[in-house]
């Protein structure tokens, strides 16, 4: 399968309706905001959701979440060295496995490695080796179009099993936070030059394209009830060459998103390159 032949840029508009799109564990799990009050969803969070949807679609994923773990491995190192994947402990011994061979095997085995890259730094002795893989798919953090309003509610997070049950201890009370309404946008790109190194193909790009409109399906939790987060639009710019007709910055800035979720594309800024617009929910 040949590597990616055309540079690709993409953008996603998503809606938040009474949900916590990405809690900050260092701030009481409140929704992330910047200093100006604009909501943020980190690139790490978005790639986690991409990995989960890809895994549900049958793709082999290296960085699996605990609740969606399919192989019973207790760590990334165990997964990387597992005979189940045909790699083994010798993968991290440069005397037995050259770095480029180990990287190629890892990219062949796991979709997220050849897409997003990975640092295999599991060598614990003199024979160990660190293997960095730079992926061709980059995803930026999502930011809201306008500052978001956050509502905080006090909740009972547990039931005390001690005493006569007439009093609640301080440890039984907690806080729950949500963004009432918000329109967020994030951007991404796929680099054919880096795809040549990992083997990321046109078919792989199409797989991600098919996953993006479903980014928040099967992702419900108490913080994100079913239907409270959804993809509204996906924009997919496919250039006519590997180097790209325009820079990613110019392509991304050609899209203007309004506070109500409507949008405008400045076609004069990227003449000859029009996006495919894919409906979300």
């Amino acid at each position: 399968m040949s590597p990616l032949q055309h540079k690709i840029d993409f953008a996603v508009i998503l809606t938040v309706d009474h949900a916590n799109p990405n809690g900050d564990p260092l701030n009481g799990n409140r929704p992330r905001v910047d200093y100006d009050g604009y909501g943020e969803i980190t690139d790490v969070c978005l790639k986690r959701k991409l990995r989960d949807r890809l895994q549900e679609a049958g793709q082999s994923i290296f960085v699996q979440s605990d609740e969606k773990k399919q192989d019973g491995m207790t760590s990334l190192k165990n997964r990387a060295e597992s005979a189940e994947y045909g790699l083994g402990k010798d993968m991290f011994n440069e005397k037995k496995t050259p770095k480029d061979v180990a990287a190629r095997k890892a990219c062949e085995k796991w979709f997220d490695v050849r897409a997003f890259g990975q640092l295999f730094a599991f060598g614990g002795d003199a024979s160990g080796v660190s293997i960095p893989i730079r992926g061709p798919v980059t995803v930026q953090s999502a930011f809201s179009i306008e500052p978001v309003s956050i509502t905080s509610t006090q909740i009972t997070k547990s039931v005390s099993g001690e005493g006569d049950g007439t009093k609640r201890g301080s440890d039984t009370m907690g806080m729950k936070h949500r963004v009432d309404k918000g329109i967020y946008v994030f951007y991404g790109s796929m680099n054919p030059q880096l795809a040549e190194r990992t083997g990321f193909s046109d078919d792989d790009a199409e797989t991600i394209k098919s996953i993006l409109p479903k980014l928040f399906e099967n992702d419900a939790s108490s913080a994100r009830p079913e239907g409270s987060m959804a993809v509204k639009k996906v924009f997919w710019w496919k250039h006519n060459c590997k180097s790209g007709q325009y820079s990613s910055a110019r392509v991304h800035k050609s899209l203007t998103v309004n506070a109500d979720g409507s949008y405008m594309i400045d076609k004069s800024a990227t003449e000859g390159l029009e996006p495919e617009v894919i409906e979300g929910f």
Side-chain angles (χ1 to χ4, degrees):
M1 190 178 296
S2 62
L4 187 69
Q5 297 299 305
H6 302 269
K7 179 182 176 181
I8 293 172
D9 287 294
F10 59 90
V12 177
I13 302 175
L14 60 95
T15 63
V16 177
D17 185 2
H18 294 88
N20 187 344
N22 186 197
D24 184 353
L26 298 181
N27 190 24
N29 207 43
R30 285 173 58 85
R32 295 178 187 271
V33 294
D34 64 15
Y35 287 110
D36 295 319
Y38 290 86
E40 178 181 1
I41 306 174
T42 66
D43 60 316
V44 175
C45 176
L46 293 170
K47 284 189 282 190
R48 174 72 272 157
K49 297 182 189 307
L50 275 169
R51 284 184 168 101
D52 289 346
R53 303 294 85 76
L54 289 165
Q55 190 173 346
E56 292 165 3
Q59 298 293 335
S60 181
I61 299 298
F62 179 65
V63 184
Q64 300 177 17
S65 58
D66 289 340
E67 61 269 20
K68 295 183 181 296
K69 195 179 296 180
Q70 295 178 330
D71 53 16
M73 298 298 167
T74 57
S75 68
L76 293 178
K77 181 178 181 180
N78 289 345
R79 182 170 295 123
E81 295 179 347
S82 171
E84 176 184 343
Y85 295 101
L87 300 177
K89 294 184 178 181
D90 286 344
M91 174 180 176
F92 302 105
N93 187 331
E94 194 171 14
K95 295 179 181 178
K96 297 182 179 181
T97 306
K99 281 187 177 183
D100 59 337
V101 174
R104 176 176 54 79
K105 287 184 177 181
C107 290
E108 290 174 353
K109 293 293 180 182
W110 295 296
F111 188 104
D112 57 332
V113 174
R114 66 177 177 270
F116 307 126
Q118 183 68 35
L119 175 61
F120 293 91
F122 302 134
D125 52 33
S127 65
V129 60
S130 176
I131 304 173
I133 299 174
R134 187 178 175 189
V137 181
T138 55
V139 178
Q140 300 178 18
S141 295
F143 289 94
S144 63
I145 299 302
E146 291 187 330
V148 295
S149 174
I150 298 175
T151 297
S152 299
T153 306
Q154 191 170 34
I155 60 171
T156 303
K157 64 180 181 179
S158 63
V159 178
S160 176
E162 299 179 359
D164 59 6
T166 59
K167 296 182 179 179
R168 297 189 188 277
S170 60
D171 63 327
T172 67
M173 306 305 293
M175 297 295 294
K176 190 173 184 178
H177 315 279
R178 69 171 186 259
V179 170
D180 292 331
K181 294 280 186 179
I183 299 290
Y184 289 64
V185 182
F186 72 88
Y187 301 90
S189 185
M190 300 181 181
N191 185 306
Q193 284 74 29
L194 293 175
E196 291 178 358
R197 300 182 183 182
T198 68
F200 185 83
S201 67
D202 289 309
D203 287 344
D204 290 334
E206 288 297 316
T207 298
I208 290 181
K209 177 182 173 182
S210 68
I211 290 295
L212 284 173
K214 309 172 185 177
L215 196 60
F216 300 102
E217 293 184 8
N218 302 321
D219 190 57
S221 69
S222 61
R224 297 179 302 280
E226 197 74 64
S228 63
M229 293 187 64
V231 170
K232 185 177 179 67
K233 299 280 186 183
V234 176
F235 302 87
W236 192 263
W237 289 271
K238 186 173 183 179
H239 297 249
N240 61 11
C241 59
K242 287 187 175 183
S243 59
Q245 296 161 251
Y246 303 96
S247 69
S248 292
R250 186 169 182 176
V251 172
H252 296 167
K253 288 178 180 178
S254 70
L255 173 66
T256 301
V257 182
N258 302 314
D260 61 356
S262 61
Y263 65 91
M264 181 181 68
I265 298 174
D266 183 3
K267 296 182 180 180
S268 64
T270 56
E271 187 176 353
L273 178 64
E274 293 190 14
E276 178 184 355
V277 182
I278 306 165
E279 296 290 335
F281 66 89

